[in-house]
């Protein structure tokens, strides 16, 4: 099996690559080749089969065609710019988040004209495709009314994935990722970054800024759960999806205050005292239109799983990123 990971240099891309290397197979088929691509060169990996690391931007005409020419069996499309950046730079957001998907799908379709070709494409969408007003929990039948450019771009990609799958050009699965927390590394341009920052920094003895009130509620899953979503989607019997190819996956509905109390239980008052309230009206306004809770019955019925408590999410970060130790 030949696997192509677009966005392989990012946090999710790196963790996904590691998980696939450890498993060595997908759906009972041995992995024989990796193609890892991003706008910066992905890290080299230790793999007995073929490996290609490619610097490429699929939002540029012709780039997706080059990647698809090798006819990968399984494609993970993770590449995107994040919510805050997409909102700040309208042109860049549509070029990368929408055009990249369109070019990729079209490259797959054109490759299939030459000879039969039907790869599995796993696409990372977002809960940003939904906009207020919300029900108590967003169900599988709730409509998409995004309130940001990022959400709109992801919603368009979901429709494209549906249509290209319906026409038999690709075997697509879309995953609406919850906000992934705790993200390792340095803060990024995502408006949701503070959800991770207020946990990640205090866990290593550093101060963090909280720009919203503690009663803000949101939908979360860990990086470990996100990799589980992607690998499960790669093996899924897509005949069970029908014409609705994108799923809202499980997660945890938690307030910022509950996040902080979970941090207190795991790491104590010393860590919590490093969080400083610094209201940011721009972020407060954006957060007001974000989803807060989901009833992910469809995905759960298909075998997708996430954490059961926020304490578990924090402990996963400590185990996976901090070597099991807390403190600076």
């Amino acid at each position: 099996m030949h696997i192509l990971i677009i966005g392989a240099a990012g946090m999710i891309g790196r963790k996904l690559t590691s998980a696939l290397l450890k498993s060595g197979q997908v759906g009972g088929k041995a992995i024989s080749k990796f193609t890892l691509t991003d706008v910066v060169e992905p890290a080299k990996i230790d793999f007995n089969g073929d490996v290609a690391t490619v610097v490429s931007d699929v939002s540029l005409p012709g780039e997706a065609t080059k990647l698809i020419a090798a006819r990968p069996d399984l494609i993970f499309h993770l590449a995107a710019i994040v919510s805050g950046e997409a909102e700040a730079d309208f042109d860049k957001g549509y070029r990368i988040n929408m055009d990249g998907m369109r070019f990729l799908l079209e490259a797959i379709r054109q490759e299939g004209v030459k000879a039969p070709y039907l790869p599995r494409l796993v696409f990372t969408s977002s809960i940003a495709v939904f906009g207020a007003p919300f029900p108590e929990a967003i169900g599988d039948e709730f409509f998409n009314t995004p309130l940001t450019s990022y959400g709109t771009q992801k919603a368009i990609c979901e429709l494209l994935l549906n249509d290209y799958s319906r026409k038999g050009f690709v075997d697509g699965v879309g995953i609406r990722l919850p906000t992934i927390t705790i993200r390792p590394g340095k803060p990024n341009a995502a408006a949701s970054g503070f959800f991770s920052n207020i946990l990640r920094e205090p866990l290593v003895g550093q101060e963090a800024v909280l720009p919203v009130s503690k009663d803000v509620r949101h939908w979360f899953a860990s990086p470990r759960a996100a990799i589980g979503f992607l690998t499960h989607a790669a093996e899924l019997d897509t005949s069970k999806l029908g014409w609705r190819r994108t799923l809202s996956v499980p997660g945890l509905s938690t307030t910022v205050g509950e996040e902080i109390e979970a941090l207190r239980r795991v790491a104590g008052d010393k860590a919590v005292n490093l969080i400083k309230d610094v209201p940011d009206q721009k972020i407060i306004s954006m957060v007001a239109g974000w989803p807060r809770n989901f009833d992910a019955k469809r995905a759960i019925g298909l075998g997708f799983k996430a954490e059961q408590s926020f304490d578990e999410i924090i402990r996963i970060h400590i185990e996976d990123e901090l070597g099991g130790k807390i403190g600076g």
Side-chain angles (χ1 to χ4, degrees), residues 239-268:
S239 67
K240 296 178 180 179
L241 294 179
W243 61 271
R244 297 181 301 166
R245 287 289 178 139
T246 302
L247 294 157
S248 296
V249 291
L252 281 172
S253 178
T254 307
T255 67
V256 170
E258 290 166 345
E259 264 193 272
I260 293 171
E261 288 309 305
L263 178 64
R264 192 187 309 277
R265 288 190 295 272
V266 175

Side-chain angles (χ1 to χ4, degrees), residues 180-200:
I180 301 305
T181 309
I182 302 166
R183 295 186 67 93
K186 297 180 180 179
N188 61 20
S192 60
F194 69 88
F195 289 121
S196 284
N197 302 349
I198 62 171
L199 303 172
R200 182 183 59 237

Side-chain angles (χ1 to χ4, degrees), residues 15 184 222-225 313-324:
K15 287 182 176 291
S222 74
R224 191 186 290 181
I313 287 178
I314 296 174
R315 290 193 178 100
I316 284 171
H317 179 77
I318 294 169
E319 180 180 336
D320 289 356
E321 309 298 336
L322 303 181

Side-chain angles (χ1 to χ4, degrees), residues 47-234:
F47 179 61
N48 290 331
D50 293 336
V51 179
T53 56
V54 181
V55 177
S56 180
D57 181 348
V58 293
S59 70
L60 298 177
E63 289 299 304
T65 300
K66 297 175 188 176
L67 295 171
I68 297 304
R71 300 172 75 90
D73 305 288
L74 171 59
I75 304 164
F76 292 96
H77 182 28
L78 316 176
I81 63 168
V82 293
S83 54
E85 190 176 1
E87 195 66 17
D89 192 331
F90 188 83
D91 291 332
K92 185 177 181 181
Y94 273 89
R95 178 176 66 81
I96 294 176
N97 293 341
M98 187 189 76
D99 291 347
M101 180 64 156
R102 176 77 170 90
F103 289 152
L104 175 62
L105 288 168
E106 190 57 20
I108 293 169
R109 183 175 78 90
Q110 293 301 328
E111 185 64 29
V113 171
K114 302 172 186 176
Y117 179 52
L118 186 67
R120 171 68 55 88
L121 171 61
V122 179
F123 165 67
T124 48
S125 187
S126 168
I127 59 175
V129 300
F130 300 109
F134 301 117
E136 182 64 26
I138 296 172
D140 293 316
E141 310 305 323
F142 193 67
F143 44 81
N144 295 5
T145 52
L147 296 176
T148 63
S149 295
Y150 175 77
T152 301
Q153 292 147 16
K154 289 291 189 177
I156 292 170
C157 290
E158 288 186 10
L159 291 173
L160 289 170
L161 187 70
N162 274 353
D163 200 37
Y164 276 69
S165 295
R166 179 184 66 85
K167 295 289 286 184
F169 303 138
V170 69
D171 186 17
V173 185
I175 300 298
R176 295 186 188 113
L177 288 178
T179 291
I180 301 305
T181 309
I182 302 166
R183 295 186 67 93
K186 297 180 180 179
N188 61 20
S192 60
F194 69 88
F195 289 121
S196 284
N197 302 349
I198 62 171
L199 303 172
R200 182 183 59 237
E201 273 65 46
L203 284 170
V204 293
Q206 298 175 5
E207 288 191 353
V209 168
L210 175 60
V212 302
S213 70
K214 292 181 177 63
D215 62 356
V216 166
R217 179 174 290 278
H218 197 55
W219 187 243
F220 302 98
S222 74
R224 191 186 290 181
I227 300 311
F229 298 150
L230 293 170
T231 55
H232 189 63

